[in-house]
Amino acid sequence: MDLRVAFAGLTLKNPLLTASGTFGYGREAAEIYDLGILGGVMVKGVSREPWPGNPPARVARAPGGMLNAIGLQNPGLKHFVEVDLPFLRRYQTAVVVNVVGHDQQGFVDVVQGVTGQEGVAAIELNISCPNVADGLLFSQDPASARRLVQAARAATGLPLIVKISPNVTDPVALGQACKEAGADALSAINTLLGMAIDTARRRPVLGNRTGGLSGPAVKPIGLRIVYDLAAQVGLPVIGMGGIETGLDALEYIMAGARAVAVGTAVFRDPYAPPRIVRELGEELQSHGFENATQAWAAANPAAREAAS
Amino acid sequence: MDLRVAFAGLTLKNPLLTASGTFGYGREAAEIYDLGILGGVMVKGVSREPWPGNPPARVARAPGGMLNAIGLQNPGLKHFVEVDLPFLRRYQTAVVVNVVGHDQQGFVDVVQGVTGQEGVAAIELNISCPNVADGLLFSQDPASARRLVQAARAATGLPLIVKISPNVTDPVALGQACKEAGADALSAINTLLGMAIDTARRRPVLGNRTGGLSGPAVKPIGLRIVYDLAAQVGLPVIGMGGIETGLDALEYIMAGARAVAVGTAVFRDPYAPPRIVRELGEELQSHGFENATQAWAAANPAAREAAS
Amino acid sequence: MRGWDLEVTAANRPAPGYAEISCKAPQAVAALPGQFFMLRAGEHPDTYLPRAFSWYRQEAPDRLSFLFRVQGPGTRHLGGLRAGDHLYALGPLGHGFTLPERPVRAALLGGGVGVPPLWGLARNLLAGGSEVLALIGARSGAHLVGAEEIAALGAEVRLATDDGSAGRKGLLTDLLEGEQVDALYACGPEPMLRRVQEISLGAGLPAELALEAPMACGYGVCMGCVVERTRPQDELGDYGRYARVCREGPVFRAEEVRF
Amino acid sequence: MRGWDLEVTAANRPAPGYAEISCKAPQAVAALPGQFFMLRAGEHPDTYLPRAFSWYRQEAPDRLSFLFRVQGPGTRHLGGLRAGDHLYALGPLGHGFTLPERPVRAALLGGGVGVPPLWGLARNLLAGGSEVLALIGARSGAHLVGAEEIAALGAEVRLATDDGSAGRKGLLTDLLEGEQVDALYACGPEPMLRRVQEISLGAGLPAELALEAPMACGYGVCMGCVVERTRPQDELGDYGRYARVCREGPVFRAEEVRF
Ligand SMILES: Cc1cc2nc3c(=O)[nH]c(=O)nc-3n(C[C@H](O)[C@H](O)[C@H](O)COP(=O)(O)OP(=O)(O)OC[C@H]3O[C@@H](n4cnc5c(N)ncnc54)[C@H](O)[C@@H]3O)c2cc1C
Ligand SMILES: Cc1cc2nc3c(=O)[nH]c(=O)nc-3n(C[C@H](O)[C@H](O)[C@H](O)COP(=O)(O)OP(=O)(O)OC[C@H]3O[C@@H](n4cnc5c(N)ncnc54)[C@H](O)[C@@H]3O)c2cc1C
Ligand SMILES: Cc1cc2nc3c(=O)[nH]c(=O)nc-3n(C[C@H](O)[C@H](O)[C@H](O)COP(=O)(O)O)c2cc1C
Ligand SMILES: Cc1cc2nc3c(=O)[nH]c(=O)nc-3n(C[C@H](O)[C@H](O)[C@H](O)COP(=O)(O)O)c2cc1C
Ligand code: FES
Ligand code: FES
């Protein structure tokens, strides 16, 4: 089974990436399998300066998934470039740098800082983190998203992916603005704003009160948003949200995703990424496809819409 | 345990209602228990004329819940007033009429049509159904929601509840607009727009392509929105989304809900409503409360916020 | 309708991909042929909703079995039950087959997973003095279920398979050619039911079809399981366009349904 | 770290609300005292994430047990396992207790559900020639777990309960009064750990604390399980404010942690 996919200036050995923030910078998983098995690694959000993140408790169970309020704890650009990136460079996998900032300049500085570094395959702008005060700033208003993407576009020649929030009325309008500003691809979805209540202590479980919902529970929402983005914006989409099996991955591909990412499932099963790569090959075969792109084309909403 | 609650001109024997669209007009459940056990029944959406609903398939499984795209099939105002309401009047429970329309006049005509009918305790305006083309029209724009609620307010003296959509960037702004327009209470949440893909048939499972996600999977989102509405809008809120047990109901009450509604859980367990009433009493007791209002006050965000 | 906690007494695999689970069931779980139950077991996230199944055999007054094909998470979990396990059943639900007022010669058509409701129907027809011709089809001989069990009741059984590996090769409905029957009863995949509908309308032969639809509740409250009616119920206007398979059905007269 | 499919060989209830499950475990599952495993069983929606548990006893080289209090859905499901069932374990994980270089007299403090990691610690300390004073506390005598098992290793065991129904009435740390020890090792509820930290800092007595935190992954990738450090790691600036309990811990030196 030929699993290679190519889009937006990226060529991946298979369509499976690990989602940002659920895989650190690859070090822990590298203890149990060769990261070269993966289509790519989307690293934990990198900010210009080190960020401490939110006070605990940072995670809570949720039906069919979990809530997190990590708040983007990360060691910052310098540490990433000097320590984490060289580590990842040892593996035959595409490294996508997830970028965060408190303001436009914060984003742009990181984009600039990683551009030109060896071994960076693409940049993903995280304008959709619900767990920091200004995390959704750029998602709630397409105009400010447009300005941010334009600035990032001017700062890099690398493939530029923008991560779309599900916590907005109109993800398509947001995607459209990103496209017009020069984004090469979209990724979706980030987590959904949620809450858990500890009845014994009569207050929210999480230190930050609210957190982001992820895992199988959000899969239907991710599929809907990927479907709409793929059909209506017309940029390649990296789909994610609740992927646990090869069949889930195929569902996203048929919804219109060119590639997919696995997040929360790696907490339940650290071996999930190599397993999903294998299962996706099996599912493609049993569904009668010769490669991953065929499956995407067979059902992709744009092609289907055009044909109907 | 004293389970009575009173708010927004409503007095309920207990805080548990059945959610609109998951209980028909009470006829089927009445075959297995006395509806008088319930705090209230929020009936299936009623439109001015009969509506046929969407083509099948209308339901699909989802992790920790389900998707539906019923499209508000209902027999219309006349049938409701002549057949369903008289049936419900036989039970000692509060009847909340869920109202739908394609435009403002459609809503207002139903509001007028049920006002003055014996046995209607309150009206719930459903401006948040994701399964009909114009279902989210009034949710996506607080200004048009304001006009609609003003018109409904002018048409009735009954307690007026507005049902809030989770598919918007800012549910609080929407709730605020409803409050200013004269709503007495809010209910939240309606279903989240989602999708399921049938990989064998290479297309969406549902006839309407997208559907509304409900069940335990959405509970964290419901809790977050109820918490925000209760703390920031300051109208009483009827909480729903994934309630299955008395503990779930207590979580919603502690998030700030004055009453709660059970929806999808009645598909899994038709006896869920009387069971949850019983369990809620037990939970209140084991958490050290003497009545339901105490639990609400002990943890309600408005009081907590004011105190901190 | 009532909720029942049923204990599984036996589980077996009558054909590849099929499972039959037999349960200890109180006599009160009396169900008519064509009625169904909503079953659930386990708490996997993908099995939040119960699943609909016709009852299959009732070999003793306090026994009830279900026969199903493993298709997805719901049937996978139910198919994994073993003797001693429990399942939750809501039922009996819906509107079953109509028995003729006087003895007739009836053809029962069961395609694949459509066979289960025919066992009870055959039993009741035979008990009422009718003659039963049971036409049973499957993909191949290995996938045939229920034929022996229905024959054992005293019905005349004929077979058809897609590949000809058992009985006649071809469509199940082809077996009707040259047969003299007074009524048709059918359950199976939609193309087969359409064909039975055509035959019924063409020959003016009364037919009842047992339908399937994705269901959420199974007892009439979700409006999820609808089928289009040929004649909307007039007093309800447009609303009457769709009927609930779980409540007005699952058995409909052939002329009522628009596929 | 590795994933293991473990077969349960026995399950019992050592005290009300507690469960101990013993498993058949390959020798390779070698774990140091204070290390833990992420366990899961079943597929209930509320148990999507695995749960963290110290390993408790290793009575034979191919056996491993876990002891836990039933608190919520995760422990409810694990507590329902019976001999013959399987569970999935990821581990061993984290950074365990540090053994002294020469024999010492060590006090081990275990409050309630904090006892499990002390069994292995006591065994290894004793094997290294140290003296072990094990102080074990619980709400009441009925809720005491692990005391007999740790005594059976050859440790000196003293008890404290909130209600005085076994051992001394009062705080576990009160049992330290008048004792001459060289090192403290503690695991239990946060107020008890704070108290041990005070004693350690006050008396300049080395102490190690085994911490708990809500965890998602257990192996360092989610950043969910952090505890605040007293001295941020300078080279990482602000980032160093929080350490991962699952990776830098769960055992920390008392002076490292800011409660
Ligand atoms: C009245 C009635 C009686 C019945 N009696 C019997 C019987 O006696 N024996 C029997 O074998 N069956 C019977 N059925 C059918 C049975 O209910 C289904 O086979 C069962 O519900 C399948 O559940 P599942 O979870 O195993 O499969 P599902 O995974 O639900 O798959 C069933 C099909 O639904 C589609 N689907 C639904 N949701 C999704 C989704 N989210 N993603 C992808 N695909 C989806 C797929 O096309 C799939 O092939 C009956 C149905 C009805 C309505
Ligand atoms: C390194 C380590 C080792 C451990 N070793 C042991 C051991 O040996 N034995 C032992 O008994 N325990 C041990 N624990 C604790 C154990 O992990 C927890 O008891 C277990 O995770 C509880 O899971 P649960 O699903 O049963 O309870 P949960 O329902 O998760 O409840 C635990 C507490 O978390 C809160 N909570 C979390 N999420 C929610 C939510 N969504 N809604 C409401 N409340 C919530 C509540 O306050 C609740 O009281 C250890 C923990 C760690 C980190
Ligand atoms: C613990 C945790 C941390 C996350 N951190 C980030 C992050 O740093 N940057 C980002 O873009 N997304 C982050 N996400 C979102 C995921 O990348 C992903 O979009 C989301 O979880 C949905 O996928 P899943 O259901 O497979 O987890 C995080 C998610 C989780 C659960
Ligand atoms: C099958 C189905 C039909 C529904 N129909 C309506 C409706 O007619 N009017 C309405 O306001 N909400 C409707 N809803 C939304 C529910 O009332 C409720 O807001 C939502 O399902 C969340 O609660 P739950 O998770 O307990 O089901 C429907 C939900 C379902 C599942
Ligand atoms: S399945 Fe719910 S109405 Fe038929
Ligand atoms: S539990 Fe995930 S980093 Fe510690």
Side-chain angles (χ1 to χ4, degrees):
Chain A
M1 181 61 55
D2 182 3
L3 287 177
R4 277 172 310 175
V5 290
F7 60 92
L10 273 170
T11 302
L12 307 177
K13 61 169 63 161
N14 66 60
L16 192 87
L17 300 99
T18 54
S20 176
T22 63
F23 204 70
Y25 301 95
R27 214 173 287 273
E28 295 77 12
E31 294 173 16
I32 55 172
Y33 60 84
D34 175 6
L35 303 187
I37 291 170
L38 303 170
V41 171
M42 305 175 104
V43 302
K44 174 81 190 158
V46 177
S47 53
R48 190 174 50 201
E49 289 84 29
W51 283 5
N54 289 327
R58 289 179 172 186
V59 292
R61 63 175 156 78
M66 64 173 285
L67 288 163
N68 89 80
I70 309 300
L72 295 169
Q73 173 172 357
N74 84 91
L77 176 62
K78 182 162 176 289
H79 189 273
F80 173 71
V81 169
E82 292 177 3
V83 181
D84 300 310
L85 187 56
F87 173 81
L88 282 166
R89 240 181 249 137
R90 290 154 41 185
Y91 299 93
Q92 300 298 315
T93 192
V95 175
V96 177
V97 184
N98 184 271
V99 174
V100 296
H102 288 308
D103 51 27
Q104 185 165 310
Q105 198 54 46
F107 276 91
V108 170
D109 288 344
V110 180
V111 170
Q112 247 154 6
V114 298
T115 298
Q117 296 294 337
E118 191 195 327
V120 175
I123 286 173
E124 182 185 42
L125 298 179
N126 177 7
I127 61 163
S128 49
C129 177
N131 295 322
V132 293
D134 40 22
L136 288 172
L137 217 63
F138 296 97
S139 288
Q140 277 159 358
D141 167 24
S144 67
R146 180 179 286 119
R147 279 191 300 275
L148 173 64
V149 176
Q150 271 164 349
R153 177 73 295 167
T156 190
L158 287 168
L160 189 61
I161 305 162
V162 186
K163 190 155 180 177
I164 298 294
S165 172
N167 299 297
V168 299
T169 308
D170 193 351
V172 168
L174 186 60
Q176 198 64 50
C178 296
K179 181 184 181 186
E180 287 159 16
D184 299 302
L186 303 174
S187 57
I189 55 173
N190 210 316
T191 56
L192 279 122
L193 209 44
M195 181 181 272
I197 303 283
D198 187 333
T199 58
R201 297 189 296 170
R202 304 182 185 184
R203 57 177 174 78
V205 174
L206 295 171
N208 200 38
R209 280 195 273 181
T210 58
L213 180 66
S214 63
V218 310
K219 192 179 73 171
I221 298 166
L223 286 170
R224 182 259 303 179
I225 292 179
V226 166
Y227 185 96
D228 285 348
L229 292 173
Q232 295 176 48
V233 178
L235 282 183
V237 181
I238 301 176
M240 68 193 82
I243 293 178
E244 265 208 290
T245 65
L247 189 61
D248 295 331
L250 183 56
E251 287 170 11
Y252 268 94
I253 291 170
M254 287 195 175
R258 303 302 313 260
V260 297
V262 52
T264 305
V266 307
F267 304 159
R268 181 170 166 85
D269 176 9
Y271 301 90
R275 173 176 54 72
I276 296 172
V277 171
R278 193 180 63 240
E279 289 174 351
L280 177 59
E282 292 162 3
E283 291 290 353
L284 287 170
Q285 182 147 28
S286 75
H287 281 76
F289 297 111
E290 274 155 35
N291 57 53
T293 303
Q294 254 187 13
W296 170 78
N300 102 67
R304 198 172 42 232
E305 232 88 315
S308 75
Chain B
M1 180 60 56
D2 182 3
L3 287 177
R4 277 172 308 174
V5 289
F7 59 93
L10 272 171
T11 302
L12 307 178
K13 62 170 63 160
N14 65 60
L16 192 87
L17 300 99
T18 53
S20 177
T22 64
F23 204 68
Y25 301 96
R27 214 174 286 274
E28 294 78 11
E31 294 173 18
I32 56 172
Y33 59 83
D34 175 5
L35 302 187
I37 291 170
L38 303 170
V41 171
M42 305 175 103
V43 302
K44 173 81 191 158
V46 177
S47 53
R48 191 175 47 201
E49 288 84 29
W51 283 5
N54 288 328
R58 289 180 171 185
V59 293
R61 64 176 156 77
M66 63 174 286
L67 289 162
N68 89 80
I70 309 299
L72 295 169
Q73 173 172 356
N74 83 91
L77 176 62
K78 182 162 177 288
H79 189 273
F80 173 70
V81 168
E82 291 177 4
V83 181
D84 299 311
L85 186 57
F87 173 80
L88 282 166
R89 237 181 251 140
R90 286 154 44 185
Y91 299 94
Q92 300 297 316
T93 191
V95 175
V96 177
V97 183
N98 184 272
V99 174
V100 296
H102 288 308
D103 52 26
Q104 185 165 311
Q105 198 54 46
F107 276 93
V108 170
D109 288 344
V110 180
V111 170
Q112 248 155 5
V114 297
T115 298
Q117 296 293 336
E118 191 193 327
V120 175
I123 286 173
E124 182 185 42
L125 298 178
N126 177 7
I127 61 163
S128 49
C129 178
N131 296 322
V132 293
D134 41 21
L136 288 171
L137 217 64
F138 297 97
S139 288
Q140 278 159 356
D141 167 23
S144 67
R146 180 179 287 117
R147 279 192 300 274
L148 173 64
V149 176
Q150 271 164 350
R153 175 75 292 166
T156 189
L158 286 169
L160 189 62
I161 305 162
V162 185
K163 190 155 180 178
I164 298 294
S165 173
N167 300 298
V168 298
T169 308
D170 192 350
V172 167
L174 186 60
Q176 198 64 51
C178 295
K179 181 184 181 184
E180 287 159 17
D184 299 301
L186 303 173
S187 57
I189 55 174
N190 211 317
T191 56
L192 279 121
L193 210 43
M195 182 181 272
I197 303 282
D198 186 332
T199 57
R201 296 189 296 169
R202 304 180 185 185
R203 57 177 173 79
V205 174
L206 295 171
N208 200 40
R209 279 196 274 181
T210 58
L213 180 66
S214 62
V218 309
K219 191 179 72 171
I221 299 166
L223 286 170
R224 183 258 303 178
I225 292 179
V226 166
Y227 185 95
D228 285 349
L229 293 174
Q232 296 175 49
V233 177
L235 281 184
V237 181
I238 302 177
M240 68 193 84
I243 294 178
E244 265 208 290
T245 65
L247 189 61
D248 296 331
L250 182 57
E251 287 170 12
Y252 268 94
I253 290 171
M254 286 194 175
R258 303 301 312 261
V260 297
V262 53
T264 304
V266 307
F267 304 159
R268 183 171 163 84
D269 176 9
Y271 300 90
R275 173 176 53 73
I276 296 172
V277 170
R278 193 180 63 240
E279 288 174 352
L280 177 59
E282 291 161 5
E283 291 291 352
L284 286 169
Q285 181 147 27
S286 75
H287 281 76
F289 297 112
E290 274 155 36
N291 56 53
T293 303
Q294 254 187 13
W296 170 78
N300 101 68
R304 197 171 44 231
E305 232 88 316
S308 76
Chain C
M1 143 170 130
R2 238 196 76 179
W4 309 92
D5 170 58
L6 303 183
E7 186 187 327
V8 176
T9 53
N12 56 42
R13 311 222 153 253
Y18 281 82
E20 179 178 1
I21 47 180
S22 307
C23 304
K24 203 182 289 172
Q27 286 234 22
V29 192
L32 303 173
Q35 287 190 306
F36 69 102
F37 291 80
M38 295 297 282
L39 303 186
R40 65 179 158 82
E43 311 195 87
H44 189 280
D46 281 338
T47 60
Y48 188 75
L49 295 178
R51 304 294 199 269
F53 298 93
S54 306
W55 64 278
Y56 174 38
R57 292 196 287 168
Q58 187 176 25
E59 294 192 289
D62 66 341
R63 285 284 182 282
L64 202 65
S65 85
F66 301 94
L67 173 64
F68 52 88
R69 192 160 72 79
V70 175
Q71 314 213 37
T75 43
R76 197 152 54 235
H77 276 75
L78 289 166
L81 294 179
R82 286 163 300 178
D85 288 342
H86 286 247
L87 60 82
Y88 182 85
L90 181 77
L93 297 165
H95 183 97
F97 292 106
T98 319
L99 289 178
E101 280 165 30
R102 310 170 273 107
V104 295
R105 176 164 162 84
L108 278 51
L109 295 93
V113 89
V115 172
L118 303 186
W119 186 93
L121 178 62
R123 183 193 61 180
N124 288 15
L125 283 168
L126 290 164
S130 289
E131 272 176 64
V132 173
L133 172 65
L135 311 177
I136 299 189
R139 220 169 344 138
S140 79
H143 293 88
L144 276 170
V145 286
E148 284 170 36
E149 291 76 2
I150 291 176
L153 294 168
E156 182 186 344
V157 173
R158 308 235 182 100
L159 308 175
T161 51
D162 293 348
D163 65 357
S165 59
R168 189 142 126 199
K169 175 171 173 152
L171 296 179
L172 191 57
T173 41
D174 294 347
L175 295 177
L176 279 175
E177 271 161 39
E179 289 293 342
Q180 254 331 103
V181 295
D182 309 307
L184 302 176
Y185 296 93
C187 184
E190 196 178 297
M192 174 195 134
L193 296 182
R194 283 171 191 266
R195 185 80 194 97
V196 174
Q197 187 186 48
E198 277 168 28
I199 294 169
S200 159
L201 298 180
L205 200 60
E208 287 195 330
L209 312 178
L211 264 51
E212 288 190 5
M215 291 185 171
C217 71
Y219 63 100
V221 296
C222 77
M223 306 306 281
C225 61
V226 297
V227 61
E228 204 171 346
R229 283 195 171 105
T230 39
R231 277 179 310 190
Q233 293 192 305
D234 284 335
E235 77 279 15
L236 295 182
D238 216 13
Y239 169 67
R241 186 191 303 170
Y242 292 112
R244 294 168 297 185
V245 170
C246 73
R247 200 90 179 174
E248 282 77 56
V251 176
F252 290 90
R253 291 196 312 278
E255 67 273 20
E256 286 179 290
V257 178
R258 185 193 306 277
F259 284 109
Chain D
M1 141 170 132
R2 240 198 73 181
W4 310 91
D5 171 57
L6 303 182
E7 186 187 326
V8 176
T9 54
N12 58 41
R13 312 221 153 253
Y18 281 83
E20 179 179 1
I21 48 181
S22 306
C23 305
K24 203 182 290 173
Q27 286 233 21
V29 192
L32 303 172
Q35 286 189 306
F36 69 100
F37 291 80
M38 295 298 282
L39 304 186
R40 65 179 157 81
E43 310 195 88
H44 189 280
D46 281 338
T47 59
Y48 187 74
L49 294 177
R51 304 294 199 268
F53 298 94
S54 305
W55 64 277
Y56 173 39
R57 293 197 286 167
Q58 186 176 26
E59 293 191 289
D62 66 341
R63 284 286 182 282
L64 202 66
S65 85
F66 301 94
L67 173 64
F68 52 87
R69 192 159 72 79
V70 174
Q71 315 213 34
T75 44
R76 196 152 53 234
H77 276 75
L78 290 165
L81 294 179
R82 286 163 300 178
D85 288 341
H86 286 246
L87 61 83
Y88 181 85
L90 182 78
L93 298 166
H95 183 97
F97 292 107
T98 319
L99 289 177
E101 281 164 29
R102 312 169 272 106
V104 296
R105 175 164 161 85
L108 279 50
L109 296 94
V113 90
V115 172
L118 302 185
W119 186 93
L121 177 62
R123 182 193 62 179
N124 289 14
L125 283 169
L126 290 164
S130 289
E131 272 176 65
V132 173
L133 172 64
L135 311 178
I136 297 188
R139 219 167 346 134
S140 79
H143 294 86
L144 277 169
V145 286
E148 284 169 36
E149 290 76 2
I150 290 177
L153 294 168
E156 181 185 345
V157 173
R158 308 237 181 98
L159 308 175
T161 50
D162 294 348
D163 66 358
S165 58
R168 187 141 129 199
K169 174 171 174 153
L171 295 180
L172 191 55
T173 42
D174 294 346
L175 295 177
L176 280 175
E177 271 162 39
E179 289 293 341
Q180 253 334 103
V181 295
D182 309 306
L184 302 176
Y185 296 93
C187 185
E190 196 178 297
M192 173 196 135
L193 296 182
R194 283 171 190 265
R195 184 83 193 95
V196 174
Q197 187 187 48
E198 277 169 29
I199 293 169
S200 160
L201 297 180
L205 199 60
E208 286 195 332
L209 312 178
L211 264 51
E212 288 189 5
M215 291 184 171
C217 71
Y219 63 100
V221 295
C222 77
M223 307 305 281
C225 61
V226 297
V227 61
E228 203 171 345
R229 284 194 171 102
T230 39
R231 277 179 310 188
Q233 293 192 304
D234 284 336
E235 77 278 16
L236 295 182
D238 216 12
Y239 169 67
R241 187 192 302 170
Y242 292 111
R244 293 169 297 185
V245 170
C246 73
R247 200 91 180 175
E248 282 78 56
V251 177
F252 290 90
R253 291 197 312 279
E255 66 274 19
E256 286 179 288
V257 178
R258 185 193 305 277
F259 284 109

